[in-house]
Amino acid sequence: MKDETGNKLKGLMDKAVAEKELAGGCLLVRCHGEECCYLEAGMADVEEGKPIERDQIYRLYSMSKPVTGAAAMKLFEEGALDLGQPVSAYLPSFQDSLVEQDGRLVKADRQIQVQDLLNMTSGLVYNGDAGLPGRHADAVFGELMERLWTDHPMTTRELAVRLGEGPLLFQPGSSWKYGSSADVLGAVIEAASGMSFGAYLEKNFFEPLGMKDTGFFVPEEKRDRLVTVYQADGNGGLVPYLENHLGIINAMDRKPAFESGGAGLVSTVDDYARFAQMLLNRGELDGVRVLKPRTVDYMTSGTLNGTQREAFVRNFPTMPGYDYGNLVRVMREPGKSCTLNNAGEYGWDGWLGCYFANDPAADMTILFMMQKTDSGLTPLVRRLRNVIMSE
């Protein structure tokens, strides 16, 4: 990457830090299997004067979802997971789902299938959403939070079972809604593999890919590398965020009973780059194959029909032109996008602003890591992307 481009990217990052868009973060761009740009800006902890450094650990939140999708894909290619099978085959509480229609509950036309979890077409919602499904999710996630510090915390499977007892927002497969599908999928992976979700990821992805700093908590000897989370203070500044969100322990200081497939992982920029490069290589990294090429092609192909895609864009109006499937967005129509894209680009982002995109046409990975609440796909990332893609 040209020096001029690198200087422009660094200038954008420094300006965003100065204007309190974030406390600090890092950008990594890889092209043709090699690093072509790495930049840092700002602080990992403002109060302690600790600058961003390369080996720091970030809470991924929803950037955990592509990892969960890949885990399901491995079971899928091994014949251990049938995407057309009802979720009730693994979690019986999903057997007789009800759907909210016009304020009343009706029987679901069909059961939720495993594929609905991967594509967010299940009708499951997150806590904070409206209606009877949202109220049920509020109750389940509320109980999860209440039990977080007790001697009987809610497990991955228990959360999924409890979610299955509530109503759905729409008939399975009829629309699209960002919700707790990936968390339920984590429990399905446990049932299909006979292992805890975390153990399955460690054995099949983190260990073979050399992702030594990725997991569901941060061991004590690594905790000084965990980046502080910030939130807007309402006056144009930033203050540390000390609460827990979606059942994730913010301090990341203990092995959780609930290993969240939707939001629970921590990682470094270099660890996640190894996962991203594996996908870009169609399942292989450094001579180690963790997924078959056709499986990666399937995972990153997008699956939504027209009605579902319309609902996706309603949920995420800053993402026109994208399809979705297997827990990643996939660029279909670059001309409709808010950013410069190639068709076939895929990835996702997280609540604290971590961002991942693989672009097979350019043979490129873009990763941005930060820790600020309510971030998702940030204006800063869109600006950085446009500079990178216009080179």
Side-chain angles (χ1 to χ4, degrees):
M1 186 171 286
K2 298 173 186 172
D3 289 345
E4 178 188 355
T5 305
N7 291 338
K8 193 177 293 184
L9 293 168
K10 183 66 163 70
L12 286 170
M13 291 170 64
D14 288 342
K15 183 173 186 284
V17 170
E19 294 178 353
K20 302 296 192 290
E21 286 188 52
L22 71 164
C26 68
L27 171 70
L28 174 62
V29 184
R30 292 175 57 83
C31 311
H32 311 299
E34 303 287 339
E35 181 176 317
C36 56
C37 179
Y38 174 78
L39 297 166
E40 301 164 348
M43 294 289 176
D45 189 296
V46 175
E47 289 69 31
E48 293 187 8
K50 186 189 296 184
I52 291 287
E53 295 180 349
R54 183 150 184 166
D55 68 347
Q56 278 158 336
I57 298 170
Y58 298 81
R59 301 157 191 80
L60 296 180
Y61 272 88
S62 286
M63 216 166 81
S64 304
K65 288 180 171 74
V67 179
T68 301
M73 290 292 99
K74 187 162 187 67
L75 291 168
F76 163 66
E77 73 176 17
E78 292 173 346
L81 188 63
D82 174 8
L83 304 193
Q85 197 166 21
V87 173
S88 63
Y90 304 96
L91 303 166
S93 66
F94 283 85
Q95 177 81 44
D96 299 305
S97 297
L98 298 175
V99 178
E100 183 178 19
Q101 280 185 194
D102 301 321
R104 61 192 182 90
L105 296 177
V106 301
K107 193 173 182 347
D109 293 341
R110 67 163 174 82
Q111 292 195 44
I112 297 173
Q113 298 172 349
V114 175
Q115 192 168 37
D116 291 313
L117 300 178
L118 279 157
N119 299 337
M120 295 278 179
T121 56
S122 64
L124 290 165
V125 302
Y126 266 136
N127 53 317
D129 285 329
L132 297 175
R135 287 206 284 278
H136 179 75
D138 286 344
V140 175
F141 277 91
E143 183 183 344
L144 169 67
M145 297 296 288
E146 287 171 7
R147 291 168 53 185
L148 210 51
W149 309 107
T150 69
D151 57 4
H152 59 288
M154 191 178 287
T155 64
T156 309
R157 181 181 175 85
E158 188 180 356
L159 178 106
V161 168
R162 292 276 286 108
L163 289 171
E165 294 168 350
L168 307 175
L169 181 65
F170 50 75
Q171 292 288 351
S174 68
S175 190
W176 192 95
K177 177 65 176 175
Y178 200 58
S180 56
S181 290
D183 292 315
V184 174
L185 186 61
V188 170
I189 289 168
E190 289 191 339
S193 68
M195 304 171 68
S196 74
F197 185 40
Y200 183 82
L201 291 178
E202 182 65 33
K203 178 183 177 183
N204 292 284
F205 290 89
F206 304 155
E207 186 176 333
L209 293 175
M211 297 170 67
K212 61 186 185 303
D213 292 321
T214 304
F216 286 106
F217 75 108
V218 181
E220 186 174 357
E221 66 273 15
K222 299 181 180 181
R223 218 159 286 151
D224 64 337
R225 292 161 51 199
L226 183 65
V227 176
T228 300
V229 179
Y230 286 88
Q231 63 182 345
D233 65 3
N235 296 305
L238 298 171
V239 293
Y241 174 84
L242 303 175
E243 299 172 40
N244 307 301
H245 181 60
L246 289 178
I248 313 302
I249 299 170
N250 186 58
M252 288 290 175
D253 58 358
R254 66 199 70 196
K255 189 178 188 303
F258 167 50
E259 296 177 323
S260 168
L265 290 172
V266 296
S267 192
T268 61
V269 71
D270 285 311
D271 264 18
Y272 208 94
R274 294 187 68 76
F275 172 74
Q277 189 66 56
M278 176 274 293
L279 290 178
L280 204 53
N281 294 348
R282 300 176 70 217
E284 176 271 336
L285 183 70
D286 295 342
V288 177
R289 179 162 294 283
V290 296
L291 289 170
K292 301 288 178 60
R294 286 196 67 183
T295 307
V296 177
D297 293 346
Y298 178 87
M299 176 180 172
T300 59
S301 61
T303 62
L304 302 185
N305 63 33
T307 302
Q308 293 164 345
R309 284 184 68 186
E310 287 173 9
F312 173 79
V313 175
R314 283 198 303 273
N315 273 255
F316 292 101
T318 60
M319 299 185 199
Y322 281 100
D323 197 347
Y324 188 90
N326 302 309
L327 301 182
V328 293
R329 61 176 161 237
V330 182
M331 175 50 65
R332 278 273 185 257
E333 300 175 87
K336 291 185 177 179
S337 178
C338 294
T339 51
L340 294 174
N341 302 81
N342 290 315
E345 177 221 290
Y346 61 88
W348 200 241
D349 51 72
W351 180 63
L352 297 179
C354 291
Y355 172 88
F356 148 61
N358 269 352
D359 186 335
D363 196 16
M364 176 189 291
T365 297
I366 301 173
L367 283 165
F368 188 80
M369 308 293 261
M370 59 177 281
Q371 301 279 268
K372 182 189 172 189
T373 62
D374 300 317
S375 291
L377 176 58
T378 61
L380 172 60
V381 162
R382 293 198 296 271
R383 294 193 294 266
L384 294 171
R385 275 192 55 93
N386 289 339
V387 171
I388 295 164
M389 296 303 295
S390 64
E391 186 176 65

